[in-house]
């Protein structure tokens, strides 16, 4: 398993290696890959100075019989990563070894094609069981019921990682009842099938969604999505006490790689990051419609008057870990990160039964997690096509190395076929393989999530950053939204709609 | 009953000094009487003593309570030690013996013999500092004209209300980020942004230092080398480190960094399954030990502890123990009480320097770890610029006996609102208050060598509006007496990781600033504490000892004077150079070894260690750009093993064999 870390060691100076041995007892094992190295023992420089930074990590190591031919419709870090591995692009319809497909292709074409033995694709057939907000709620609710029946209440409570949610219009009556039980509570409305914060708004009166429902009915006819019927919404109890840092709200994006649902095999990447809102958090009624306060989606924050263009507001998990440890202690933070990891696995267990397993498929999910002031993680949603478009060089390096790690796990080059499954590949740690990976971590179990994982400079510098690599479309509507203190939903929709197309859905 | 018993004072205890120490203790006790916490403690001891069953021997009971571990006695002892530390430079002249120095061993006292300078060299450096400050003062006036902002302005009621409402949050009408997307923290160097508004920056600082020249005729004697040779062999024109600190000496000085001791910063992380358990065990014992020290409030043990690193979860409290020089009975209320008048002063007056420090704080947007704390930083820096406490610490008004009084005062003296009230300086037009508004500092009558001009403050003469009493109040401008240099907020950035709110972070920051960071951008030499010229000379001498050919290669072949590079790292205390976790680990050691002595010198050692670490790449460098590239990305460096490798090379090689 020649991987990135080994490669880095190759570049290290002789003094470096002596440094690792300078470590006092416990003697540092020479293989940094072999365990929970939150830090590589040697001070590595993943610098642009090392001459081999431009060589892709794996292609040089083993010569494959044929180059991998890939097909994709998108031009972002994924495309660059595939090129950097020495793969060749092909535009044949089915003439490929690997297809980084968008979800539309999966919905429309996947059922009608036959995949050859070696062909791989980056989505599961019915991934929406996990990634559509209403189905996720449905699946988790069902799981809770099953577990409660079989193992009792204490076990089922562990699956309580979604805040109370109802699907509208179906569960409107149930919701109204719940709302009346909690007067003054705030709820968040999300369209079930949309990403990047589109169509999201907050309510604190039931009348607000009565009005909205009429709106939607009026809009249904003009709905050009062509999807099934009127757009369903999910209404979710708003987490009113999110953990704030520097007075600002944030959520966490974690990359989760599922290579198989049967047996369930889950990898989680260490370099998750926090995404911040750019405005001080407030639960005041006057601010309730201000999404710049309440939503942390980059797609929304981009239009915030306080947005730091070219910065992207991404804070690595290891910074969060450092910050929280100073305030809450090591144990509490370990518990939090382990709990986040567990929530991810439990959400996947909830959909395992309904998911159609397919050995051609793997999937890279973007999990959105919110932490409240009691350090409890809440699962917000799961994205099937997390944005892999970079906004800054840092962002680019981060995503590029993550995608490379992902391809190392998926192993199209077949370097690891027939070998035992690897516990760590780059930044990806195996956390579940037909059962929790507890490898010798049973006592003082601590998640590797947010452990130190170097971000090597990507082999190429991005010249321009923006959605899909094109120059950012200057969106006029957002100027309107800055001028009015209350941002109406329609403006918000327009603002987001103009400039951002979900990665996977972008035209070729 | 006197709370300060001379016996409890740390001191060398030689008979000749006893009287001196007693006198000092008496004067300190007198100073403490102005402190509310002192009386609170006194009352506490009193009530506890009275409540105790043993009525007969009240004195010994009281003594027992007083000397209880972690009790009042310990607190006062810590306070005295820390409060004296910051005024040490001025006291050194009166008291040749450093009676406040830790008793544990001589090694812990920074060897000050190489700080002794030829008075002529001292004069040259003093002049350099003065020149820099004069330029900065001119820049204040220039900026005032350019930005069309008066030096100080009373806010109207309405503005005040708006200010308080918005507090320190970013406002939509804030000027856009002054930085382009590819710029970074100042420690990275690179070309200067022409649009930047600042008084002076690290390059000015370095230029002032490198531009110093000894008057003719001084070239051959004493501290100086032959001019040709010195120019060839060192970028610092004056030879400062008279007896240089030897490379071998470091191993003795920083013995606790030895690989044989377990270190936070490398050993709390396991690399395999067994070592993970071991590491967890180590971390656990370390935390337990740290908690014990915290509960006993033992300063000297805490500093020994910090030398091997502080576990992240204890850092905020342990640093406070090592830094907090005020005698405080309840930190939370003290912090609140202290910051309230500062906030009020902020709301009342708008100063020109406010804009400067805010722009400076906005730099954190350039960093992927610190951008989160922009609002917190702004608040901290605004507190800092208003805090007269800083001024009192950096240039104590009355040097000798009263020196301990002023820092002991519990209440901050916020800018007296009565005195500035309505005293708006003439709105800046063509004739800025050049002669009158910004008076020269020399007239201040401050004969204290260190205080004078070091802080670079300008004194402002503000006429009060009250016509009945036309008196002139001389106040410093800015109130904290420090003309901010570009990047000063870098020092505050890592502190944000320790505290949830700006107020408590500020309390840590101000202590750090006066005892440590202020020396990093001061050219003027001090008798007890190394300042920038010394640190750079220390760095150069270490590199030359490590590998003279390497030094020659970098300086002469690649044409990149190593001191120029290292200056950026040292001036900014490695913020923006290393990952924030590593910066905190380094600062742990700096605090442990004394932030005004050996600890401060550790910055120079760390810089030298970085050079040694990149030796191979540096040998291949042919141009300044290559050298820059060698240090372009130090984000993955782990500072503790790096220091170990540099300080204890033999051990490492032995293990290798």
């Amino acid at each position: 398993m020649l991987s990135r870390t080994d490669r880095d060691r190759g570049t290290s100076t002789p003094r470096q290696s002596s440094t690792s041995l300078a470590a006092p007892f416990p003697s540092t094992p020479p293989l940094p890959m072999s365990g929970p190295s939150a830090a590589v023992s040697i001070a590595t420089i993943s610098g642009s100075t090392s001459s081999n930074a431009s060589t892709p990590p794996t292609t040089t190591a083993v010569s494959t019989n044929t180059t991998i031919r890939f097909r994709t419709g998108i031009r972002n870090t994924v495309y660059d990563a595939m090129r950097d591995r020495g793969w060749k692009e092909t535009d044949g319809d089915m003439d490929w070894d690997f297809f980084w497909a968008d979800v539309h292709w999966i919905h429309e074409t996947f059922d009608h094609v036959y995949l050859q033995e070696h062909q791989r694709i980056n989505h599961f057939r019915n991934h929406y069981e996990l990634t559509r907000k209403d189905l996720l709620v449905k699946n988790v609710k069902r799981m809770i019921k099953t577990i409660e029946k079989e193992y009792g209440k204490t076990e089922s409570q562990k699956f309580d990682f979604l805040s109370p949610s109802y699907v509208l219009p179906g569960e409107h009556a149930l919701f109204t009842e719940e709302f009346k039980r909690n007067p003054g509570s705030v709820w968040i409305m999300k369209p079930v099938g949309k990403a990047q914060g589109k169509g999201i708004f907050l309510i604190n009166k039931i009348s607000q969604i009565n009005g909205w429902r009429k709106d939607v009915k009026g809009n249904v006819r003009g709905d050009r999505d062509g999807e099934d019927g009127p757009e369903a919404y999910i209404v979710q109890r708003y987490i009113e006490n999110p953990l704030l840092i520097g007075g600002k709200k944030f959520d966490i994006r974690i990359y989760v790689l599922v290579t198989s649902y049967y047996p369930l095999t889950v990898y989680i990447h260490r370099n998750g990051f926090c995404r911040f809102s750019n405005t001080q958090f407030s639960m005041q009624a006057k601010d309730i419609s201000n999404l710049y306060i309440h939503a942390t989606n980059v797609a929304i924050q981009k239009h915030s008057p306080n947005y730091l263009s070219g910065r992207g507001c991404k804070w690595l998990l290891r910074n969060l870990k450092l910050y929280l440890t100073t305030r809450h202690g090591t144990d509490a933070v370990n518990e939090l990160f382990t709990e986040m990891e567990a929530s991810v696995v439990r959400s996947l267990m909830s959909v395992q039964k309904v998911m159609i397993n397919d050995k051609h498929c793997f999937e890279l999910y973007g999990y959105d997690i919110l932490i409240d002031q009691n350090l409890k993680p809440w699962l917000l949603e799961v994205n099937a096509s997390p944005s892999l478009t970079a906004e800054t060089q840092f962002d680019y390096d981060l995503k590029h190395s993550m995608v490379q790690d992902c391809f190392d796990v998926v192993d199209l080059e077949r370097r690891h076929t027939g070998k035992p499954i690897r516990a760590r590949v780059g930044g990806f740690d195996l956390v579940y393989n037909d059962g929790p990976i507890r490898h010798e971590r049973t006592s003082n179990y601590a998640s590797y999530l947010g452990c130190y994982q170097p971000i090597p400079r990507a082999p190429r510098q991005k010249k321009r950053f923006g959605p899909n690599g094109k120059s950012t479309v200057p969106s006029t509507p957002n100027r309107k939204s800055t001028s009015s203190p209350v941002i109406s939903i329609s403006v918000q929709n327009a603002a987001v709609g103009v400039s951002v197309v979900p990665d996977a859905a972008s035209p070729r | 009953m006197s709370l300060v018993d001379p016996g409890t004072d740390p001191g060398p205890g030689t008979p000749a000094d006893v009287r001196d120490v007693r006198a000092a203790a008496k004067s300190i006790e007198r100073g403490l009487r102005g402190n509310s916490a002192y009386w609170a403690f006194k009352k506490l001891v009193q009530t506890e003593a009275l409540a105790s069953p043993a009525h007969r021997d009240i004195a010994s009971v009281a003594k027992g309570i007083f000397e209880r571990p972690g009790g009042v006695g310990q607190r006062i002892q810590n306070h005295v030690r820390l409060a004296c530390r910051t005024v040490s430079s001025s006291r050194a002249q009166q008291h040749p013996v450093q009676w406040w120095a830790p008793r544990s061993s001589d090694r812990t006292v920074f060897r000050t013999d190489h700080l002794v300078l030829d008075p002529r060299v001292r004069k040259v450096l003093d002049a350099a500092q003065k020149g820099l400050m004069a330029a900065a003062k001119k820049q204040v006036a220039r900026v005032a004209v350019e930005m069309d902002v008066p030096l100080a302005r009373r806010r109207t009621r309405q503005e005040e209300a708006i200010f308080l409402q918005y507090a320190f949050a970013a406002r939509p009408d804030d000027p856009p980020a002054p930085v382009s997307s590819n710029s970074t923290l100042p420690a990275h160097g690179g070309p200067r942004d022409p649009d930047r508004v600042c008084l002076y920056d690290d390059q000015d600082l370095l230029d002032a230092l490198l531009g110093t020249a000894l008057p003719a005729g001084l070239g051959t004697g004493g501290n100086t080398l032959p001019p040709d040779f010195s120019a060839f062999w060192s970028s610092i024109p004056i030879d400062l480190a008279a007896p240089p600190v030897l490379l071998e000496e470091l191993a003795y000085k920083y013995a606790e960094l030895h690989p044989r001791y377990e270190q936070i910063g490398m050993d709390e992380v396991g690399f395999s399954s067994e070592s993970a358990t071991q590491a967890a065990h180590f971390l656990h014992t370390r935390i337990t030990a740290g908690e014990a020290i915290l509960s006993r409030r033992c300063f000297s043990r805490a500093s020994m502890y910090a030398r091997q690193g502080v576990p992240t979860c204890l850092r905020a409290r342990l640093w406070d123990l090592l830094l907090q020089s005020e005698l405080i009975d309840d930190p939370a209320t003290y912090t609140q009480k202290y910051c309230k008048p500062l906030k009020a002063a902020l709301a009342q007056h708008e100063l020109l320097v406010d804009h400067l420090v805010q722009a400076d704080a906005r730099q954190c947007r350039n960093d992927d770890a610190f951008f989160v704390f922009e609002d917190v930083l702004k608040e901290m820096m605004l507190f800092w610029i208003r805090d007269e406490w800083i001024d009192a610490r950096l240039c104590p008004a009355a040097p000798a006996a009263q020196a301990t009084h002023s820092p002991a005062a519990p209440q901050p003296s916020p800018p007296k609102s009565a005195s500035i009230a309505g005293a708006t300086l003439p709105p800046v037009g063509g004739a800025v208050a050049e002669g009158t508004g910004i008076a020269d500092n020399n007239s201040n009558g401050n004969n204290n060598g260190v205080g004078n001009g070091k802080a670079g403050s300008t004194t402002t003469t503000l006429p009060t509006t009250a016509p009945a009493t036309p008196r002139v109040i001389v106040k410093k401008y800015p109130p904290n007496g420090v003309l901010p240099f570009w990047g000063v907020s870098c020092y505050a950035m890592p502190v944000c990781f320790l505290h949830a709110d700006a107020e408590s972070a500020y309390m840590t920051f101000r202590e750090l600033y006066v005892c440590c960071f202020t020396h990093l951008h001061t050219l003027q030499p001090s008798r007890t504490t190394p300042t920038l010229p010394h640190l750079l000379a220390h760095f150069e001498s270490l590199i030359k000892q490590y590998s003279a050919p390497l030094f020659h290669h970098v300086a002469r072949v690649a044409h990149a004077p190593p001191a120029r590079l290292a200056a950026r790292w040292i001036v900014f205390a490695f913020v923006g150079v290393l990952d924030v976790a590593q910066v905190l680990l380094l600062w742990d050691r700096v605090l442990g070894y004394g932030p005004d002595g050996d600890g401060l010198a550790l910055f120079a050692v760390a810089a030298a260690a970085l050079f040694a670490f990149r030796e191979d790449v540096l040998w291949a460098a042919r141009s300044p750009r290559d050298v820059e590239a060698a240090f372009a990305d130090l984000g993955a460096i782990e500072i503790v093993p790096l220091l170990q490798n540099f300080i204890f090379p033999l051990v490492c090689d032995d293990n290798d064999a």
Side-chain angles (χ1 to χ4, degrees):
Chain A
M1 60 188 220
L2 254 182
S3 76
R4 188 151 305 137
T5 322
D6 298 318
R7 191 167 50 90
D8 282 346
R9 303 199 79 204
T11 70
S12 64
T13 64
R15 293 197 74 85
Q16 263 180 297
S17 48
S18 67
T19 319
S20 76
L21 288 165
F25 55 88
S27 62
T28 325
L31 264 184
M33 286 285 292
S34 56
S37 71
V40 185
S41 67
I42 45 171
T44 352
I45 291 201
S46 55
S48 52
T49 50
S50 48
S51 56
N52 65 346
S54 55
T55 19
T58 41
T59 39
T60 50
V62 180
S63 61
T64 40
N65 298 341
T66 50
T67 16
I68 310 279
R69 293 160 305 151
F70 70 90
R71 179 189 162 187
T72 184
I74 43 178
R75 294 282 180 274
N76 58 20
T77 42
V78 179
Y79 178 76
D80 291 346
M82 291 191 288
R83 293 277 302 272
D84 293 338
R85 293 177 82 86
W87 299 358
K88 290 273 174 294
E89 190 177 9
T90 163
D91 44 8
D93 227 16
M94 287 306 295
D95 184 26
W96 39 261
D97 305 313
F98 176 67
F99 184 16
W100 189 276
D102 55 50
V103 285
H104 285 284
W105 188 89
I106 298 290
H107 297 164
E108 285 158 24
T109 327
F110 197 12
D111 286 338
H112 314 299
V113 297
Y114 172 76
L115 293 189
Q116 309 229 325
E117 177 68 23
H118 68 280
Q119 289 184 312
R120 301 296 292 270
I121 193 162
N122 69 325
H123 286 291
F124 283 95
R125 211 169 286 261
N126 56 346
H127 64 87
Y128 46 80
E129 291 285 351
L130 180 67
T131 56
R132 244 179 61 172
K133 297 173 183 93
D134 54 339
L135 295 177
L136 174 67
V137 168
K138 198 184 82 187
N139 285 320
V140 171
K141 275 183 183 171
R142 191 186 52 228
M143 188 70 173
I144 289 177
K145 262 184 211 143
T146 321
I147 296 273
E148 194 170 340
K149 223 181 282 168
E150 285 180 27
Y151 303 100
K153 192 107 188 160
T154 42
E155 277 302 304
S156 72
Q157 269 170 355
K158 289 184 183 165
F159 282 75
D160 177 34
F161 48 79
L162 288 176
S163 81
S165 320
Y166 299 91
V167 181
L168 295 183
E171 296 179 311
H172 191 264
L174 272 174
F175 167 62
T176 317
E177 212 172 283
E178 178 69 22
F179 189 89
K180 280 179 184 153
R181 234 178 285 143
N182 302 292
S185 57
V186 178
W187 295 72
I188 186 162
M189 293 280 289
K190 301 173 184 170
V192 296
K194 283 188 178 155
Q196 303 191 324
K198 269 175 264 180
I200 285 183
F201 60 98
L202 263 62
I203 59 162
N204 54 0
K205 291 189 197 82
I206 207 111
S207 58
Q208 284 163 319
I209 62 165
N210 288 341
W212 168 81
R213 282 180 66 207
K214 268 177 224 153
D215 256 15
V216 162
K217 271 176 192 156
N219 283 340
V220 167
R221 287 183 208 294
D223 190 3
R224 270 159 295 149
D225 279 1
E227 299 221 333
D228 31 13
E231 193 170 32
Y233 260 70
I234 181 170
V235 64
Q236 213 165 34
R237 183 76 185 262
Y238 189 66
I239 313 281
E240 291 181 48
N241 60 339
L243 186 70
L244 304 181
I245 292 179
K248 288 165 185 167
K249 185 183 163 177
F250 67 97
D251 74 352
I252 296 171
R253 163 61 58 89
I254 300 175
Y255 294 108
V256 175
L257 176 65
V258 175
T259 51
S260 146
Y261 272 97
Y262 193 81
L264 183 60
T265 308
V266 185
Y267 285 90
I268 298 186
H269 201 273
R270 293 183 180 189
N271 278 340
F273 51 84
C274 308
R275 303 176 301 175
F276 279 79
S277 87
N278 288 288
T279 314
Q280 296 276 325
F281 185 76
S282 137
M283 251 348 261
Q284 288 174 22
K286 70 178 169 58
D287 295 324
I288 209 151
S289 53
N290 187 347
L291 277 188
Y292 296 146
I293 292 178
H294 294 289
T296 49
N297 307 59
V298 174
I300 288 182
Q301 289 298 331
K302 256 182 204 167
H303 305 286
S304 156
N306 301 326
Y307 186 72
L308 318 174
S309 57
R311 272 298 129 188
C313 301
K314 292 193 174 67
W315 209 44
L316 281 182
L317 271 191
R318 68 163 182 265
N319 289 327
L320 178 71
K321 210 168 184 175
L322 180 69
Y323 178 80
L324 289 181
T325 308
T326 48
R327 313 235 341 265
H328 300 275
T330 316
D331 295 341
V333 171
N334 271 345
E335 196 180 317
L336 166 70
F337 278 75
T338 305
E339 192 56 35
M340 287 197 316
E341 185 182 298
S343 300
V344 168
V345 171
R346 287 180 189 131
S347 69
L348 289 166
M349 286 162 72
S350 307
V351 298
Q352 188 186 8
K353 291 232 170 71
V354 293
M355 208 60 101
I356 303 163
N357 193 40
D358 188 334
K359 64 181 184 330
H360 298 292
C361 304
F362 70 93
E363 201 150 27
L364 179 68
Y365 298 108
Y367 268 72
D368 290 347
I369 292 176
L370 185 85
I371 301 175
D372 71 12
Q373 281 167 7
N374 309 317
L375 292 192
K376 178 184 166 53
W378 295 95
L379 179 56
L380 297 181
E381 63 171 304
V382 185
N383 295 290
S385 318
S387 164
L388 294 172
T389 308
E391 289 166 61
T392 62
Q393 186 62 42
F394 171 73
D395 204 19
Y396 182 78
D397 294 344
L398 174 83
K399 284 170 175 167
H400 188 277
S401 75
M402 190 274 298
V403 170
Q404 287 289 13
D405 291 343
C406 167
F407 288 142
D408 283 343
V409 175
V410 173
D411 189 30
L412 277 130
E413 289 93 352
R414 296 177 170 272
R415 291 195 191 91
H416 293 276
T417 35
K419 292 179 196 160
I421 190 159
R422 290 162 292 170
R424 183 182 168 196
V425 183
F428 276 109
D429 289 295
L430 183 64
V431 297
Y432 197 90
N433 184 26
D434 204 15
I437 302 298
R438 294 201 150 255
H439 47 189
E440 74 273 336
R441 292 189 280 167
T442 35
S443 62
N444 328 309
Y445 179 92
S447 170
Y448 295 133
L449 197 55
C451 281
Y452 183 77
Q453 168 71 18
I455 301 171
R457 283 278 166 86
R460 62 184 75 191
Q461 298 273 317
K462 282 301 270 187
K463 290 281 182 316
R464 280 177 303 169
F465 294 101
N468 300 336
K470 292 172 231 146
S471 60
T472 327
V473 184
S475 50
T476 32
N478 76 52
R479 252 175 255 146
K480 252 186 253 165
S481 60
T482 54
S483 59
S484 64
V486 177
I487 295 144
S488 68
I489 307 139
S490 58
V491 169
Q492 199 50 244
N493 273 332
V496 176
V498 167
S499 60
V500 187
V501 189
D503 284 339
S506 66
R508 253 162 251 159
Chain B
M1 180 186 63
S2 157
L3 274 187
V4 174
D5 176 7
T8 62
D9 267 347
T14 48
D17 292 327
V18 166
R19 235 173 310 149
D20 197 20
V21 170
R22 274 185 194 283
K26 272 221 175 89
S27 83
I28 288 168
E29 200 273 335
R30 233 175 292 128
L32 282 175
R33 284 181 200 169
N35 189 324
S36 67
Y38 177 74
W39 295 104
F41 287 145
K42 210 161 176 169
K43 202 171 169 197
L44 188 88
V45 173
Q46 206 172 14
T47 36
E48 275 197 44
L50 288 175
S52 77
H55 289 296
R56 255 163 276 158
D57 191 7
I58 217 85
S60 69
V61 170
K63 199 167 184 221
I65 294 168
F66 179 76
E67 284 172 0
R68 206 164 35 194
V72 176
Q74 187 69 54
R75 279 166 185 248
I76 291 177
Q77 200 179 321
N78 292 348
H79 160 68
V80 170
R81 173 174 290 166
L82 284 164
C84 291
R85 175 158 80 183
T86 45
V87 295
S88 58
S89 35
S90 57
R91 293 198 56 119
Q93 294 144 28
Q94 277 83 30
H95 296 270
V97 181
Q98 296 190 359
W99 50 271
W100 57 84
R103 208 188 318 186
S104 47
S105 72
D106 288 329
R107 180 166 61 73
T108 58
V109 185
F110 184 73
R111 218 185 66 194
T112 50
D113 56 348
H114 68 267
L115 295 177
V116 179
L117 283 177
D118 189 309
R120 290 167 298 186
V121 174
R122 182 177 293 277
K123 221 171 161 186
V124 169
L125 286 174
D126 283 357
Q129 176 81 25
K130 261 192 201 133
L132 192 65
M133 287 309 133
K137 270 179 228 168
K138 265 190 203 142
Q139 185 70 3
V140 172
R142 208 176 65 87
V143 168
V145 176
E146 275 180 12
M147 289 172 66
D148 200 15
V149 177
L151 286 179
R153 187 179 70 88
R154 179 82 165 86
R155 281 200 177 86
T156 64
R157 272 294 154 69
Q158 197 191 358
E159 286 173 328
E160 208 176 313
I162 292 174
F163 182 89
L164 286 175
Q165 186 204 341
Y166 270 107
F168 303 95
R171 272 177 275 173
D173 58 335
D174 267 356
V179 284
S180 54
S181 61
N182 51 1
S183 60
T184 44
L185 289 184
H188 282 279
R192 292 189 220 190
D193 183 358
D195 299 335
R196 189 179 62 186
V197 181
C198 72
L199 301 185
Y200 68 107
D201 66 4
D202 57 306
Q203 288 184 43
D204 296 329
L205 193 66
L206 197 63
D207 290 341
L209 172 59
L210 301 188
T212 50
L214 286 179
L218 261 175
T220 46
N223 276 325
T224 48
L225 294 166
D228 297 344
F229 182 70
S230 80
F232 175 75
W233 193 225
S234 167
S235 17
I236 303 163
I238 315 165
D239 184 28
L240 288 158
V245 180
L246 297 180
L247 205 51
E248 291 74 22
E249 236 175 299
L250 294 179
Y252 179 61
K253 241 183 190 180
Y254 303 109
E256 289 83 359
L257 289 179
H258 196 281
R260 95 166 66 92
Y261 304 111
E262 287 174 294
Q263 303 280 348
I264 292 285
M266 55 186 304
D267 294 310
E268 82 276 24
V269 184
F271 295 98
S272 67
S273 49
E274 317 90 70
S275 69
T277 332
Q278 240 169 351
H281 177 71
F282 164 62
L283 186 62
H284 182 76
T285 40
R286 195 83 187 131
I287 291 175
T288 322
E291 290 280 5
I293 289 171
L294 280 170
S295 71
R296 295 176 72 98
R297 293 175 184 283
C298 182
F299 179 86
S300 47
R301 280 180 62 194
S303 63
M304 290 302 278
Y305 180 84
R307 293 171 184 193
Q308 276 161 269
V310 182
T312 316
C313 55
L314 299 182
R315 191 167 281 137
R317 284 187 292 153
L318 207 98
W319 280 23
D320 260 357
L321 175 57
L322 285 173
L323 285 168
Q324 191 48 261
S325 62
E326 294 293 344
L327 188 62
I328 298 170
D329 50 347
D330 179 10
T333 43
Y334 177 83
T335 306
Q336 260 185 354
K337 252 193 200 163
Y338 190 86
C339 292
K340 217 171 158 188
L342 280 181
K343 255 186 197 164
L346 264 172
Q348 267 175 2
H349 290 92
E350 181 189 8
L351 303 185
L352 171 70
V353 280
D354 287 357
H355 296 277
L356 294 176
V357 291
Q358 285 192 69
D360 194 72
R362 233 176 280 134
Q363 284 182 88
C364 69
R365 292 182 173 187
N366 289 331
D367 190 274
D368 291 307
F370 298 122
F371 72 89
V372 174
F373 299 113
E374 186 184 340
D375 296 346
V376 177
L377 264 178
K378 258 190 210 166
E379 192 173 345
M380 281 169 76
M381 294 320 290
L382 287 174
F383 284 159
W384 175 77
I385 204 79
R386 299 301 166 105
D387 199 347
E388 290 176 356
W389 182 91
I390 307 257
D391 184 37
R393 271 307 161 89
L394 290 180
C395 0
Q402 274 92 27
T404 50
H405 291 212
S406 53
Q411 291 302 328
S413 45
K416 280 164 225 135
S417 47
S419 58
I420 334 179
T424 43
L425 286 170
V428 178
V432 192
E434 263 145 28
T436 54
I438 308 171
D440 194 82
N441 204 18
N442 292 347
S443 59
N444 209 6
N446 190 347
N447 60 357
N448 169 7
V450 174
N452 189 10
K454 170 189 181 180
S457 55
T458 46
T459 37
T460 322
T461 319
L462 297 174
T464 47
T465 38
T469 53
R471 65 208 162 94
V472 172
I473 293 162
V474 177
K475 281 187 81 68
K476 286 222 168 161
Y477 186 88
N480 73 344
V482 183
L483 288 173
F485 84 113
W486 182 251
V488 70
S489 58
C490 286
Y491 300 136
M493 289 175 191
V495 183
C496 296
F497 270 86
L498 300 191
H499 295 279
D501 55 318
E503 280 94 351
S504 28
Y506 174 69
M507 297 315 266
T508 306
F509 168 62
R510 65 170 197 176
E511 294 282 358
L512 272 170
Y513 183 80
V514 295
C515 77
C516 180
F517 298 142
T518 179
H519 305 302
L520 297 180
H521 54 260
T522 303
L523 296 178
Q524 201 163 37
S526 143
R527 281 181 174 77
T528 52
T529 311
T531 53
L532 185 64
H534 274 113
L535 292 172
L536 285 179
H538 188 29
F539 161 79
E540 276 201 339
S541 106
L542 288 175
I543 285 291
K544 285 181 220 164
Q545 290 175 55
Y546 174 79
S547 167
L550 176 68
F551 181 88
H552 176 261
H553 178 85
V554 176
R556 293 285 137 199
V557 180
H559 298 292
R564 272 203 178 268
L565 263 170
R568 285 204 312 256
W569 304 335
I570 294 172
V571 165
F572 295 108
F574 285 87
V575 176
V577 181
L578 302 172
D579 188 56
V580 56
Q582 302 300 318
V583 171
L584 291 173
L585 287 169
L586 178 61
W587 288 13
D588 276 348
R589 272 77 181 182
V590 170
L591 292 185
Y593 284 102
D596 50 357
D598 279 343
L600 205 59
L602 205 53
F603 284 128
V605 179
L610 276 181
F611 256 81
F613 172 66
R614 298 302 277 160
E615 187 181 2
D616 293 5
V617 186
L618 288 176
W619 273 118
R622 290 275 166 241
S623 69
R625 260 176 87 189
D626 295 346
V627 177
E628 290 278 342
F631 298 105
D633 186 9
L634 299 176
I637 292 281
E638 294 203 30
I639 193 68
V640 179
L642 198 71
L643 281 172
Q644 286 183 339
N645 193 29
F646 186 72
I647 301 176
F648 309 98
L650 289 175
V651 185
C652 305
D653 290 347
D654 284 352
N655 284 355
D656 228 1

